[in-house]
Amino acid sequence: FVETYPGSREFPQAAKDLMAKMDKPQTYRPVQPPQGLHQGAQGKKVENLQNALNLLGADVAVDGHFGKDTTQALKAFQKAHHLKVDGELDLKTHQVMMNAVKQTTVKHVQTTLNELGADLTINGRMDKATVAAVKDFQIEHQLKPTGKLDGLTTEAMAQAVQQQTQQ
């Protein structure tokens, strides 16, 4: 698994969705994962898991069915993070995955801001420099300068990158 984005200059939808929630601390608080989320499970929670796995470098269909591919991707994630490798989403795996998702998303934001003219260290942390760069971006794009990665900010970033690539 990679913890950086591929060279794509586009925001994957999963990243947009996750960044839009980053200003809500409860999104990343360790919460009890769904019990029994393992091969054979189905539904929206499985789709969320598949989106997270893809954001972290896997390539699984987001179909809501916890099949072989999802199990293999989850096991690869568990192995890469020195967790119990059983292909089941337990509390520890869930906590580590949510931290990895947040870090990956912030790295992508830092990379994007750098492409738009900032000079940030790509470290996956919402440090003072990153918050300041987000505020500068928000001011430049007539958004409320909160320094948070809300939906309006991430959408504006996606549009700015798209405009830059068209020039």
Side-chain angles (χ1 to χ4, degrees), residues 52-69:
L53 287 166
N54 286 340
L55 188 68
L56 297 170
D59 184 19
V60 296
V62 180
D63 59 8
H65 299 303
F66 199 136
K68 260 188 197 179
D69 291 344

Side-chain angles (χ1 to χ4, degrees), residues 126 130-136 138 144-150 153:
M126 282 298 289
T130 302
V131 171
V134 171
K135 284 182 181 179
D136 289 345
Q138 289 167 327
K144 184 177 178 182
T146 62
K148 295 181 180 178
L149 298 170
D150 57 37
T153 301

Side-chain angles (χ1 to χ4, degrees), residues 15-63:
K16 281 188 207 177
D17 294 345
L18 289 164
M19 287 189 301
K21 297 175 184 174
M22 286 183 71
D23 62 325
K24 301 174 187 167
Q26 70 273 14
T27 303
Y28 293 103
R29 282 192 197 131
V31 290
Q32 185 67 35
Q35 293 298 312
L37 197 57
H38 53 79
Q39 191 163 348
Q42 297 182 34
K44 183 68 176 165
K45 291 175 184 175
V46 175
E47 286 181 21
N48 292 340
L49 170 62
Q50 290 166 331
N51 278 319
L53 287 166
N54 286 340
L55 188 68
L56 297 170
D59 184 19
V60 296
V62 180
D63 59 8

Side-chain angles (χ1 to χ4, degrees), residues 39-99:
Q39 191 163 348
Q42 297 182 34
K44 183 68 176 165
K45 291 175 184 175
V46 175
E47 286 181 21
N48 292 340
L49 170 62
Q50 290 166 331
N51 278 319
L53 287 166
N54 286 340
L55 188 68
L56 297 170
D59 184 19
V60 296
V62 180
D63 59 8
H65 299 303
F66 199 136
K68 260 188 197 179
D69 291 344
T70 302
T71 300
Q72 288 175 336
L74 184 56
K75 284 181 175 182
F77 175 84
Q78 290 170 325
K79 183 177 180 183
H81 290 84
H82 310 288
L83 300 166
K84 181 175 130 184
V85 180
D86 60 4
E88 187 165 332
L89 185 64
D90 61 12
L91 180 59
K92 183 67 176 170
T93 300
H94 184 259
Q95 289 172 332
V96 172
M97 185 174 291
M98 289 300 95
N99 287 334

